[in-house]
Amino acid sequence: MKVVLSTLNAKFIHTSLALRCLKAFSGHKFDMDIAEYTIKDPAMNIVSDIFAREPDVVGFSCYIWNIEETITVVNMLRKIKPELKIILGGPEVSYDTEQWMERLTDVDFIVMGEGEETFDHLLTEIETTQKYHMVFGIAYRKHLADSVEIRINPGRPKLDLNTLPSPYRFEEDLPQLANRIVYFETSRGCPFSCQFCLSSIEVGVRYFDIERTKADIIYLIDQGAKLIKFVDRTFNIKRDYALEMFQFLIENHRGCVFQFEITADIMRPEVLDYLAENAPPGVFRFEIGVQSTNDVTNLAVQRRQNWSKLVRTVTKVQQSGKIDQHLDLIAGLPLENYDTFRGTFNDVFALRPEELQLGFLKMLRGTGLRNEADKWGYIYQDRAPYEMLGNDLMPFADIVRIKRVEDVLEKYWNDHRMDSTLLYLVDHVFDSPFDFFQSFGDYWERQGWQKIGHQLEDLFSRLWSYLIYAQEAEGQQLDLPVLQGLMKLDYYRNHRYKPRKVWWDSIMDKSEWSSWMKKLTEQPEQVNEQFASYRFNERDLQKHIVLETVPFNMPHYLETGEVVAEGESLLIAMYIQEQGEKQSSANIYSINISQTVQQ
């Protein structure tokens, strides 16, 4: 029997762990292919490819991001191959399953919950006796003499994870291993009960054998994996386990990067100390779900969170300079209005995470919050991703405004294109970070920029346009020359190669530029020893550096991060590749012009 396991990933670089788990469990019994696509692929292309594989059975792994596109594919497959057995599984169809069976009449079976054993049993029954009432954990259609009934079988007991074969060792995965994300699980389940999360439904945490886990990771690294994302809901729930795994990964990473979901407020000090001392820079990434800093909101969704301990962990990790941190917020939780969410945003932004993801509440099937939606006055999308459209305290108008914050936050802060400028604005100009991003986001939408694309230069010129507007129309007290100087610094830092154009109008006079080139050639030590060590002649300098003047003490700023608007400085951005390596960004130098002139 030919079986095709399929899913529509959000992006090509993603891989489906679920499909590989199913094939690892049953692939030796059936002729089984994995066929992965993306939600951007045309449905006709997907259907044509599946059809060409000549399956008897096709199974789709379903999530909120792909369910509607999957339904389109299913409908087409049913028309062109009526005898095909179609099975759905995954978190999106494991809840409200009878509704799915009623809506999706082209689907024969739905596998609910943990799938390996259930899917294997179902395939066996399809191939042999068709006694589907014996298969725990499925929904199916019972064909009677004059009707068809939907039957929902009892659930299946949880598996012993140590009986499951490894899903990480398929030879067909090896050619693309270095170019795609490997999703890896060391445990299943979550110890917490957050009512907006599907993980709250499963009680308890089960672990895979740690030695098998280590062997699989070593295998993946040996075969060239570059990024492994652990899908454990709380990787650090067991201190000793987390410490042993961190130590193992540090000793064996060989350049592979590992990303974890951690609960920051339960991270033990000794684990933090170990990471601060031993973690190689850039090898670990932490994703931390903050969601809200509003105590009454966390209580309403049964979320336990110690804010002071969370801050301690994030600060300690940040001070080590070893690990990037991705902090998550959810707008639209119960008992959080626009003003209290503003407070949440500002609390978290004050931690200066490398990435701050502002998401919006999804009313996921099966969750406690969806089941009690009326209690909080929620309205939400009827179809995936079930995003909330408002509740008693946060109407749709506020959601729309916060979405503007999300838009510019993603483009400017999370991509780190203008850190110097943004930090100056949120620390010294606007009342709070949220107020800046809200005001800028509102302006962005009024200009219609959300409807068109952008290049790097556009992002700078649009921020500059907004700053002029903020001063002239909104009365913001802005030192525009200083801000333009910071933006010039950020612009040059964003380039790996000497830029061919700039976004500002006022450029250095040619005679002044020539004078500086001569001075830097004859007296490079006035910049610093490193600059002088290049021993560039004037022609080399013209090839590798750009010059600009800025109206503040740039050397002091580069050393301390403090803007002192005294005098004028020369900004020098050098673009050079050393020892055959690609330069990640410009080398920035600066000298105080007034002091240089006196000398």
Side-chain angles (χ1 to χ4, degrees):
M1 186 170 70
K2 181 60 180 284
V3 180
V4 171
L5 303 174
S6 187
T7 196
L8 280 61
N9 295 317
K11 298 179 180 179
F12 171 77
I13 59 170
H14 298 170
T15 53
S16 173
L17 176 58
L19 301 187
R20 287 160 176 80
C21 288
L22 296 177
K23 183 173 180 179
F25 195 90
S26 302
H28 64 289
K29 296 182 181 180
F30 307 97
D31 180 6
M32 191 173 286
D33 287 351
I34 289 178
E36 292 180 277
Y37 311 96
T38 76
I39 55 176
K40 298 296 184 182
D41 291 334
M44 180 62 75
N45 292 5
I46 297 172
V47 171
S48 298
D49 186 68
I50 293 175
F51 181 79
R53 296 171 187 264
E54 300 182 349
D56 301 297
V57 177
V58 61
F60 291 95
S61 189
C62 302
Y63 305 85
I64 58 171
W65 64 79
N66 71 7
I67 183 63
E68 296 301 326
E69 292 83 356
T70 300
I71 291 170
T72 299
V73 171
V74 165
N75 292 343
M76 293 172 68
L77 283 171
R78 177 57 71 212
K79 288 180 170 67
I80 63 174
K81 198 173 176 67
E83 73 281 7
L84 180 66
K85 296 296 185 184
I86 299 176
I87 307 172
L88 302 187
E92 176 56 13
V93 294
S94 289
Y95 305 94
D96 297 339
T97 305
E98 186 169 2
Q99 295 178 26
W100 281 119
M101 292 292 285
E102 291 172 350
R103 176 185 169 191
L104 308 180
T105 56
D106 294 325
V107 171
D108 297 296
F109 307 94
I110 289 179
V111 172
M112 301 174 292
E114 206 165 32
E116 289 95 340
E117 196 172 58
T118 302
F119 188 67
D120 180 79
H121 190 181
L122 175 57
L123 291 180
T124 301
E125 290 300 328
I126 291 173
E127 188 175 45
T128 57
T129 62
Q130 291 90 52
K131 294 181 178 179
Y132 303 126
H133 65 283
M134 302 290 291
V135 185
F136 286 1
I138 69 164
Y140 68 102
R141 301 185 193 280
K142 176 69 174 179
H143 292 269
L144 304 175
D146 56 354
S147 64
V148 178
E149 292 183 358
I150 296 170
R151 300 285 176 88
I152 309 290
N153 289 348
R156 185 176 295 269
K158 291 184 175 64
L159 294 167
D160 177 356
L161 298 186
N162 292 320
T163 66
L164 300 180
S166 171
Y168 308 109
R169 297 178 180 249
F170 293 114
E171 289 189 10
E172 59 264 36
D173 284 338
L174 299 185
Q176 291 292 334
L177 201 59
N179 302 317
R180 304 182 76 180
I181 300 169
V182 177
Y183 292 92
F184 198 102
E185 59 178 353
T186 71
S187 65
R188 291 182 182 177
C190 180
F192 302 110
S193 303
C194 306
Q195 294 299 290
F196 52 80
C197 180
L198 280 176
S199 298
S200 65
I201 300 171
E202 181 178 347
V203 179
V205 180
R206 294 167 290 152
Y207 283 85
F208 289 87
D209 176 73
I210 193 169
E211 296 306 320
R212 191 193 94 164
T213 292
K214 291 178 180 179
D216 282 337
I217 292 173
I218 288 293
Y219 172 82
L220 291 168
I221 294 173
D222 285 342
Q223 299 302 323
K226 299 300 182 186
L227 175 58
I228 296 176
K229 285 191 175 183
F230 292 88
V231 297
D232 307 72
R233 301 309 299 166
T234 304
F235 186 83
N236 61 312
I237 189 62
K238 289 170 65 175
R239 180 199 61 180
D240 294 342
Y241 179 89
L243 190 57
E244 182 175 348
M245 285 300 300
F246 286 142
Q247 182 177 356
F248 169 77
L249 297 173
I250 287 170
E251 293 173 351
N252 295 281
H253 67 88
R254 280 177 276 156
C256 187
V257 175
F258 307 97
Q259 183 165 322
F260 315 87
E261 291 188 32
I262 71 162
T263 300
D265 59 335
I266 65 170
M267 186 74 91
R268 297 294 292 269
E270 57 267 33
V271 177
L272 293 172
D273 291 338
Y274 175 81
L275 292 173
E277 185 174 345
N278 296 284
V283 168
F284 291 164
R285 299 175 185 170
F286 285 170
E287 182 175 345
I288 300 169
V290 180
Q291 320 312 6
S292 176
T293 63
N294 188 12
D295 289 339
V296 296
T297 293
N298 287 325
L299 183 63
V301 295
Q302 299 180 33
R303 179 174 178 79
R304 292 176 289 166
Q305 181 166 272
N306 187 312
W307 174 244
S308 62
K309 289 184 177 180
L310 187 150
V311 171
R312 177 205 66 188
T313 294
V314 172
T315 303
K316 179 87 172 180
V317 170
Q318 188 177 67
Q319 288 173 346
S320 75
K322 305 287 189 67
I323 301 170
D324 283 354
Q325 298 180 98
H326 169 130
L327 272 55
D328 291 339
L329 297 180
I330 296 179
L333 290 171
L335 301 180
E336 185 127 80
N337 60 23
Y338 179 87
D339 290 331
T340 58
F341 182 78
R342 174 181 179 271
T344 283
F345 182 98
N346 289 330
D347 288 341
V348 176
F349 194 89
L351 300 176
R352 301 294 190 259
E354 282 74 22
E355 185 172 356
L356 175 54
Q357 181 174 327
L358 197 174
F360 294 81
L361 178 65
K362 311 292 191 297
M363 304 294 285
L364 301 179
R365 293 177 182 271
T367 60
L369 202 52
R370 177 166 172 142
N371 294 336
E372 293 192 335
D374 291 344
K375 176 180 178 180
W376 310 106
Y378 276 108
I379 53 174
Y380 55 92
Q381 298 170 349
D382 291 333
R383 296 195 175 181
Y386 313 112
E387 189 168 299
M388 68 92 71
L389 302 173
N391 65 20
D392 287 343
L393 292 182
M394 189 173 284
F396 183 67
D398 288 344
I399 294 292
V400 170
R401 290 190 68 197
I402 297 173
K403 280 188 175 292
R404 298 174 198 153
V405 173
E406 178 199 22
D407 190 20
V408 292
L409 177 76
E410 193 67 30
K411 289 181 174 69
Y412 285 83
W413 177 256
N414 288 341
D415 283 342
H416 293 284
R417 292 179 168 118
M418 302 185 203
D419 285 1
S420 299
T421 307
L422 294 188
L423 290 176
Y424 181 79
L425 286 169
V426 301
D427 287 342
H428 302 291
V429 178
F430 286 82
D431 290 339
S432 78
F434 185 87
D435 293 319
F436 162 70
F437 286 109
Q438 184 69 82
S439 178
F440 186 24
D442 293 344
Y443 180 79
W444 185 282
E445 181 156 304
R446 287 197 299 273
Q447 302 306 307
W449 291 334
Q450 76 279 9
K451 301 174 183 177
I452 58 178
H454 57 266
Q455 296 180 332
L456 181 65
E457 293 79 8
D458 297 322
L459 292 175
F460 280 83
S461 61
R462 290 172 186 177
L463 176 59
W464 183 243
S465 171
Y466 162 70
L467 293 176
I468 294 174
Y469 165 83
Q471 177 163 279
E472 295 179 352
E474 295 187 344
Q476 283 287 350
Q477 298 300 309
L478 302 176
D479 190 332
L480 290 177
V482 166
L483 282 164
Q484 188 177 69
L486 290 169
M487 291 177 69
K488 289 177 181 179
L489 171 63
D490 285 329
Y491 184 75
Y492 286 136
R493 277 177 168 166
N494 266 273
H495 287 81
R496 291 172 55 185
Y497 305 100
K498 185 177 175 180
R500 296 183 177 181
K501 59 180 179 178
V502 296
W503 54 270
W504 56 91
D505 297 327
S506 57
I507 59 176
M508 187 180 294
D509 178 81
K510 188 173 182 179
S511 61
E512 182 183 4
W513 180 86
S514 298
S515 175
W516 276 115
M517 282 293 179
K518 184 176 181 180
K519 290 177 183 178
L520 294 174
T521 304
E522 295 174 350
Q523 298 177 298
E525 67 280 355
Q526 288 197 16
V527 180
N528 61 26
E529 292 183 5
Q530 183 188 40
F531 185 86
S533 69
Y534 289 107
R535 303 181 184 279
F536 283 152
N537 58 36
E538 189 167 340
R539 183 175 180 181
D540 289 331
L541 282 181
Q542 293 178 14
K543 179 180 178 181
H544 291 293
I545 73 170
V546 292
L547 303 177
E548 280 293 336
T549 55
V550 296
F552 59 90
N553 190 333
M554 178 67 78
H556 180 78
Y557 175 79
L558 294 175
E559 182 178 350
T560 66
E562 179 187 11
V563 174
V564 178
E566 296 177 353
E568 196 173 29
S569 301
L570 183 70
L571 170 61
I572 307 165
M574 177 181 289
Y575 300 87
I576 185 170
Q577 296 182 12
E578 299 185 64
Q579 299 177 350
E581 295 185 359
K582 291 184 178 180
Q583 180 173 327
S584 59
S585 62
N587 294 326
I588 301 295
Y589 305 96
S590 184
I591 53 178
N592 188 297
I593 290 177
S594 60
Q595 294 178 0
T596 304
V597 170
Q598 293 173 3
Q599 293 172 1

